Amino acid sequence: MNHISELGRLSLGSRLKRLSDYLITEVNAIYKANGINFEASSFPLLSLLEKYGPQSLRDAEIKLGTSHSYISQKAKYLQKSGLIEMTVDPNDARSKYMTLSAQGIALIEKMQPIWKSLDIAFARLLGDQERKIFQELGNLEAALLSSGNLRQDVAKEMSSLESYDHIEIVDYTDDFRDKFCQLNLEWLEKSFILQEFDHNVFSDPRKYIIDKGGAVFFAFMNGQAVGTAALYPEDKTSFELCKMGVDPRYRGHGIGRKMVEAGIEKARWMGAENLTLLTHSGKLAPAVRLYKKLGFTAIPMTDHDIEKYGQGRVNLRMTLSLKKAQAA
């Protein structure tokens, strides 16, 4: 998995841009291979003029749902290429109309077989998921473009950061089982392959953690669970801090630190002398930095660590002496 994918929601724009850049580059190459000099990014406007006839810049902007700068830029390109003609509205000198030229009509006829072949190729690529993909794409466009509230939403979140300071640690009850799974699977399934230990714990946290002498707890904020973690008994004097996940919508606000601190205090209260954890120094680097700040140090891994979590899942074992931490 590359870093763009690991960024999750924060990489939405970058991933869409990556797909757009790839498709435009490929289609440009197809045009060139067929002796056509045309910029694929101008296709929507050219197609609009073919289907609906002459359009003002404003009408094209509305019909394509794009910005004025996009329409203006593509109109200049098409005009410079001799594919459209620009005329001024006699009733409004500020309004310009775009009309296909004879050269533009001829080029469209030449490109029609390519467009038909592209349509068939995309149908084969999308397969049975085509309807679902375009439906979800439409939902995404509606959510982002129709509301126009992204800046306001971010500003609202920034202004309410103080509310994140009040985090309550709550012990596990069976009502929280689904939430425990959800908070963990949100990040686990994106980066790793689930192992038998994971499936067991998620199927019944009480049986596989609490009844074995461990604990599961949650970080609650404004009445809802935004993070979770577990203490799994390794032996009579040591617990493993594991299954820690934070709701992506609330990351970056210190919730992870609160969870680790709560785990340290719970482990000490339960009589543990050491608290260990297993992590990945590359894929979970921010978490590793947090652990080091809180006093965890690296120690050799064991064969059981790999057996438990799988190759590639963990490459770093860390420990914190609770007796030393208490004495300090």
Side-chain angles (χ1 to χ4, degrees):
M1 177 175 292
N2 58 47
H3 183 57
I4 288 290
S5 300
E6 291 175 340
L7 289 172
R9 296 176 182 86
L10 291 178
S11 68
L12 178 60
S14 298
R15 294 186 72 171
L16 293 176
K17 179 67 163 53
R18 182 171 63 179
L19 282 174
S20 175
D21 289 345
Y22 169 78
L23 291 173
I24 288 175
T25 299
E26 287 294 294
V27 175
N28 282 341
I30 293 170
Y31 286 146
K32 186 176 181 180
N34 286 272
I36 296 174
N37 183 23
F38 181 73
E39 172 54 51
S41 63
S42 298
F43 164 75
L45 182 56
L46 187 70
S47 175
L48 180 73
L49 297 175
E50 178 206 10
K51 183 173 183 178
Y52 293 101
Q55 299 285 311
S56 69
L57 296 178
R58 177 57 179 164
D59 287 341
E61 180 184 338
I62 294 173
K63 284 188 172 72
L64 291 178
T66 57
S67 65
H68 176 76
S69 61
Y70 168 84
I71 298 298
S72 178
Q73 179 186 3
K74 298 309 173 185
K76 289 179 181 178
Y77 165 77
L78 294 176
Q79 183 183 30
K80 185 177 180 180
S81 301
L83 303 178
I84 66 170
E85 297 172 350
M86 300 287 291
T87 57
V88 177
D89 186 342
N91 298 319
D92 186 356
R94 297 171 299 177
S95 182
K96 295 182 179 180
Y97 275 80
M98 300 170 287
T99 305
L100 285 174
S101 65
Q103 183 178 338
I105 294 173
L107 181 65
I108 288 174
E109 292 179 357
K110 188 177 181 180
M111 289 195 292
Q112 287 287 358
I114 297 176
W115 293 346
K116 181 65 175 177
S117 298
L118 277 170
D119 189 48
I120 295 172
F122 278 130
R124 186 178 299 114
L125 177 68
L126 298 174
D128 295 338
Q129 298 298 311
E130 178 178 345
R131 181 181 179 86
K132 181 179 179 181
I133 290 172
F134 279 105
Q135 182 178 6
E136 292 303 323
L137 184 59
N139 292 338
L140 177 61
E141 289 176 329
L144 288 174
L145 302 179
S146 300
S147 66
N149 286 330
L150 182 59
R151 276 177 284 183
Q152 293 93 318
D153 288 345
V154 172
K156 180 180 179 182
E157 290 297 323
M158 293 292 292
S159 65
S160 62
L161 286 182
E162 292 183 359
S163 66
Y164 298 123
D165 292 337
H166 182 64
I167 299 172
E168 181 185 6
I169 301 300
V170 177
D171 288 329
Y172 176 86
T173 70
D174 292 333
D175 292 337
F176 296 154
R177 189 183 70 173
D178 290 343
K179 193 65 178 179
F180 177 67
C181 297
Q182 177 188 337
L183 289 169
N184 274 285
L185 293 178
E186 177 69 35
W187 68 272
L188 269 176
E189 290 184 325
K190 289 181 179 179
S191 303
F192 303 105
I193 297 175
L194 297 183
Q195 304 297 319
E196 181 180 0
F197 175 70
D198 301 309
H199 291 295
N200 288 339
V201 167
F202 293 144
S203 67
D204 194 340
R206 181 173 295 281
K207 175 181 178 181
Y208 288 98
I209 295 182
I210 297 173
D211 290 349
K212 291 181 180 293
V216 176
F217 52 97
F218 293 83
F220 264 69
M221 186 180 69
N222 296 330
Q224 63 178 345
V226 295
T228 189
L231 291 172
Y232 184 80
E234 288 194 315
D235 53 47
K236 293 182 179 180
T237 62
S238 179
F239 282 100
E240 177 194 352
L241 179 63
C242 62
K243 295 294 175 283
M244 188 168 77
V246 175
D247 188 322
R249 295 171 297 178
Y250 299 94
R251 288 176 186 165
H253 304 298
I255 296 172
R257 185 186 184 98
K258 292 272 190 180
M259 297 299 300
V260 178
E261 290 174 340
I264 293 171
E265 292 306 312
K266 278 185 172 292
R268 181 182 292 121
W269 178 81
M270 295 169 72
E273 296 179 3
N274 298 288
L275 182 62
T276 66
L277 58 86
L278 290 157
T279 187
H280 195 287
S281 59
K283 295 179 180 179
L284 302 174
V288 173
R289 290 195 292 270
L290 171 62
Y291 302 145
K292 288 181 178 179
K293 287 181 180 178
L294 293 176
F296 285 85
T297 57
I299 58 174
M301 292 185 61
T302 68
D303 292 339
H304 179 66
D305 295 338
I306 302 299
E307 180 183 344
K308 183 178 180 180
Y309 287 110
Q311 191 71 36
R313 168 80 166 268
V314 295
N315 66 1
L316 178 64
R317 170 181 271 266
M318 305 185 78
T319 187
L320 174 70
S321 173
L322 300 181
K323 290 194 297 184
K324 290 182 179 179
Q326 190 171 28

